[in-house]
Amino acid sequence: MSVPASTSNPPAPPLRYARTSRQVVGGLSSVPGELLHVGNAMTLVVCVGIVAVAHGLALFAINGAVPMAIPVLLCLIALGSHYVNVLDDLGPQALDDLPPVLRNADWPDDVWRPVWRLTWALFLTLGPAIALWQVDSILAQAGAVLLGSVGLGLLPVVLLTLVEGSSAANLDPRRLLRAVRICGLGYAWTTLAFVAALALHGLAGWLLYVSLEIAVGRSFFNGRMLPLAPVLGITYGVVIAAIYTAHLAAALMARLYRLHHERFPWLLQRHERRTPSPGSTMPDGC
């Protein structure tokens, strides 16, 4: 019996894969503005708040309440892990918004491992230069400057390789340099952002310490006590710039990953299916 056309089901539409964020990702020029979107800007504000809380707790620690140094350290760990989580979420995880501080609050995955990877990246890239700088020789210190420059240039790709985490063999200098070459000019801008973030964080840390010295009455300039209010204004201006620049550096490296990772010479990046040739036999168990 035939079914009337009016009651027959229409043909199902063909299944299609959803467009992923990797397919619609923009260029590097869109990253600075994206960080200022409402949700992302709120994350930046939270980061500034964490610094302010740590600053306040450090005031108690410098006045003798030594146990207050522990929550100060935890605030710094939370901030460092957040920067690495930004690189992970916007890069390998292919998300488009900044993660919240502490992400999912899973201590191993969202705090400890990110901080450990950041520590290793800094140790591998800048550790040799710092060690060589300790040698009391002009030649050794010149070599330290050269090593430090090379280390700063490799810091973004080394950190990304550790965050992506597929294989330690991807830290092979040849693979790192090929990945840098594939990223092109965008990698130079990303490296400048990393250098600026490190410099601004160092300056912010020094200014925060100076403001604490002023608050307890131990900081003088030409025999005069420095005023606290303008120093705090300058300090938190630098803090805001440092936090934004660190997010920018991580987001730029993540964007480079999403634009070029399919051409990176990295191991264990994808499964490549190979069709057996005619007449060949499959191994037992397949």
Side-chain angles (χ1 to χ4, degrees), residues 200-212:
L200 286 171
H201 274 75
L203 179 59
W206 178 73
L207 288 172
L208 288 167
Y209 175 76
V210 169
S211 65
L212 290 175

Side-chain angles (χ1 to χ4, degrees), residues 45-283:
V45 171
V46 171
C47 291
V48 176
I50 289 176
V51 174
V53 169
H55 194 201
L57 293 173
L59 181 61
F60 290 98
I62 203 173
N63 277 317
V66 178
M68 286 297 177
I70 297 176
V72 172
L73 179 61
L74 292 177
C75 288
L76 297 179
I77 290 175
L79 199 60
S81 66
H82 172 68
Y83 292 151
V84 179
N85 290 335
V86 169
L87 176 56
D88 185 32
D89 273 18
L90 301 188
Q93 302 301 326
L95 302 178
D96 295 321
D97 295 320
L98 294 178
V101 179
L102 299 181
R103 199 154 57 177
N104 298 319
D106 184 349
W107 173 260
D109 289 335
D110 299 324
V111 181
W112 174 246
R113 288 193 185 97
V115 167
W116 187 245
R117 289 164 179 165
L118 178 61
T119 303
W120 265 108
L122 293 172
F123 174 76
L124 291 174
T125 55
L126 301 180
I130 294 174
L132 189 58
W133 183 263
Q134 307 305 315
V135 179
D136 190 12
S137 167
I138 296 178
L139 184 61
Q141 292 178 352
V145 172
L146 179 60
L147 273 179
S149 301
V150 174
L152 286 173
L154 292 176
L155 176 59
V157 71
V158 169
L159 180 58
L160 175 63
T161 305
L162 291 171
V163 169
E164 192 276 335
S166 60
S167 173
N170 290 328
L171 290 172
D172 184 336
R174 294 170 299 177
R175 297 183 184 276
L176 294 176
L177 292 175
R178 287 176 62 189
V180 170
R181 180 171 54 84
I182 289 170
C183 290
L185 183 60
Y187 187 84
W189 292 112
T190 302
T191 303
L192 288 176
F194 267 83
V195 173
L198 287 174
L200 286 171
H201 274 75
L203 179 59
W206 178 73
L207 288 172
L208 288 167
Y209 175 76
V210 169
S211 65
L212 290 175
E213 291 286 297
I214 295 173
V216 297
R218 296 205 297 253
S219 181
F220 296 88
F221 182 74
N222 288 338
R224 290 184 173 183
M225 174 65 67
L226 291 172
L228 181 59
V231 172
L232 281 178
I234 295 172
T235 298
Y236 277 90
V238 175
V239 167
I240 293 171
I243 288 174
Y244 177 82
T245 308
H247 282 82
L248 177 63
L252 286 174
M253 195 64 233
R255 184 61 54 89
L256 287 175
Y257 173 87
R258 290 169 67 176
L259 288 172
H260 304 292
H261 80 281
E262 292 182 354
R263 296 190 292 134
F264 282 178
W266 285 354
L267 301 175
L268 303 179
Q269 283 290 288
R270 66 187 66 85
H271 170 69
E272 296 182 1
R273 181 178 179 179
R274 294 182 178 180
T275 304
S277 58
S280 63
T281 58
M282 298 294 290

Side-chain angles (χ1 to χ4, degrees), residues 30-48:
S30 63
V31 173
E34 290 173 2
L35 292 178
L36 298 178
H37 292 173
V38 175
N40 294 336
M42 289 302 299
T43 301
L44 299 179
V45 171
V46 171
C47 291
V48 176

